[in-house]
Structures are given as C-alpha cells and as structure tokens.
Amino acid sequence: MRHTTLIVPGFHGSGPDHWQTWLEQRLPDARRVRGVDWEAPVLARWAAAVRREIDESTHAVWLVAHSFGCLASVVAAADRPERVAGALLVAPADPARFGPLGLQEETAGPIDDLGPWLPQGQLGFPCAVIASTNDPWVRLTVAAYWADRWGARFINVGAAGHINVDSGFGAWPYCHDLLEGMQQAHEDLPLGAISGRRESHKGRRSALARLRHHTRSSLDLRPGDPD
C-alpha cells in the first residue's frame, strides 16, 4: 500500500537540527504540514491544517507528530479515520497546559483544559506514543493516560527530556526504524479495521467543528471584551 508520511512539528516548529527534519529528509514519501503558525498554538487552526493535508493526500497518511503537533494530529485524524494508516506521536504535550487560544499562562481568563476536546476513545488505526520520564511539557503518567485512551502502544524511552534538539535528538535512527517497522507490520491492514469506523466525520459532528465552536466561545468570553 502506498502512503504519505506527514510530519507535524510542535510549538515553535522543528528546525534543521530536529529529528523530524532528519526523518523527513530520509523518507521519499514525507512532507511537512503547511499553513501553521508555529508560534501560535491554537489547536483548532493546527488541526484544520493537518486535516486539510490528510484530505489532499492521494495516498493513505502516516502521521509523525511531536509535542503540540500530536494534539492537532489526533483531532484531525479522528475526523478522517478511513484516510489515516497510522501515527507515531512523540512527546505529546499535556493538553492541560493549553487552552483553545494558546498557552494557559499566556492567555487571560480561567483555566480551560484542552483535554475534553481531544478524542476520548481508540483512534481506530495503529498508533504509538513515545514519552520521557523527565519531559517538562508532560508527566509520564499523563502521556500514558492518553496512550491508553487512544489505544496506542506506549513506549517509555527514559530520561530524554522533551525528545527534541535541546535533549540531544537530532539524528534518531530508533524513530526511523520504529516507523518503518509499524508501516511494514500494518501494510496489509485495511484502513479503519481496528475500530470498524471507515467514514469521515463532517459538519457539526466532527471533532474539529466542536473544537472550533469552543474556540469561538472562548474568544467571546475573554476578559475585557464587551458583552
């Protein structure tokens, strides 16, 4: 089965020395998601960009996401289970650290956890979550919780920080081998076979539509805005 590997960076993007860039350069079928402001982690906008890339791909998509990009990827994939072949989610950011308008500490108003707006059940395709014991963006137990909810294989790589350039992850053969192994193992698996869901979710039923509605509501309720 032919496929496309979609690289989805996290907050601040992935520079030339990041493992995602290294991986992208080694996969002939890889491309990076476009149309994202890497300095503005607004989940609805990021998820819309990822979903658009999934829709425009001529082949089934494998998602390789990092940090906040993992959250955008699972929201987008939840609406297109029949087009996603699998996902590798590395160091997923804690959704409690973000609200619909960005980082919690950078936005005014009450705490608004993104957790309820993420998929709450199995994603319906092969998936692995890679996490670290000392990641400053998410506790290991939180990463394990979401891996369990999504029906993903959970991989603890030890004290690896945020699994980025700062923690020494440039060239990362382990990631390449893991992705290649997952792709080969599930090459003949029909899309949607794990959960039985094959249809796209569109309109008001979609995960992205609900998230967009919540984001608009958050804009309307910002302190200082007129009633």
Side-chain angles (χ1 to χ4, degrees):
M1 179 177 65
R2 298 185 65 183
H3 55 254
T4 296
T5 302
L6 185 62
I7 306 295
V8 187
F11 189 26
H12 302 311
S14 296
D17 298 323
H18 197 281
W19 65 264
Q20 283 188 308
T21 303
W22 176 86
L23 184 65
E24 183 180 359
Q25 293 169 347
R26 278 154 182 78
L27 299 176
D29 65 331
R31 71 168 185 265
R32 187 167 302 212
V33 65
R34 301 160 295 173
V36 174
D37 182 351
W38 305 118
E39 303 304 318
V42 177
L43 186 59
R45 294 174 183 167
W46 286 42
V50 176
R51 198 176 75 173
R52 183 184 65 250
E53 296 279 3
I54 294 172
D55 287 342
E56 293 178 355
S57 175
T58 56
H59 305 296
V61 173
W62 277 85
L63 297 161
V64 178
H66 180 248
S67 192
F68 191 75
C70 297
L71 309 187
S73 294
V74 296
V75 171
D79 287 342
R80 300 293 188 267
E82 82 292 354
R83 295 187 58 82
V84 176
L88 184 58
L89 308 175
V90 179
D94 188 343
R97 295 282 301 273
F98 297 86
L101 305 181
L103 274 173
Q104 295 280 20
E105 55 261 37
E106 294 181 0
T107 58
I111 298 298
D112 192 357
D113 188 344
L114 282 178
W117 307 100
L118 299 180
Q120 301 297 308
Q122 293 195 11
L123 295 176
F125 46 77
C127 180
V129 170
I130 300 179
S132 162
T133 58
N134 62 340
D135 190 334
W137 284 95
V138 65
R139 296 193 307 275
L140 187 70
T141 53
V142 173
Y145 167 82
W146 286 108
D148 182 65
R149 294 297 295 264
W150 297 332
R153 175 187 175 190
F154 183 68
I155 303 172
N156 176 359
V157 293
H162 194 43
I163 314 180
N164 57 6
V165 174
D166 289 344
S167 52
F169 287 82
W172 193 15
Y174 172 79
C175 177
H176 179 277
D177 294 345
L178 176 61
L179 176 65
E180 188 176 65
M182 290 176 64
Q183 291 173 339
Q184 291 176 352
H186 299 288
E187 184 176 7
D188 298 323
L189 181 70
L191 299 183
I194 292 179
S195 68
R197 297 181 307 165
R198 299 185 66 86
E199 77 284 358
S200 294
H201 299 295
K202 300 179 180 179
R204 295 181 179 180
R205 293 180 56 219
S206 74
L208 181 56
R210 295 192 298 271
L211 178 60
R212 281 172 166 164
H213 176 75
H214 182 60
T215 302
R216 287 193 293 269
S217 299
S218 298
L219 282 168
D220 293 340
L221 295 174
R222 284 185 304 180
D225 286 353
D227 294 334

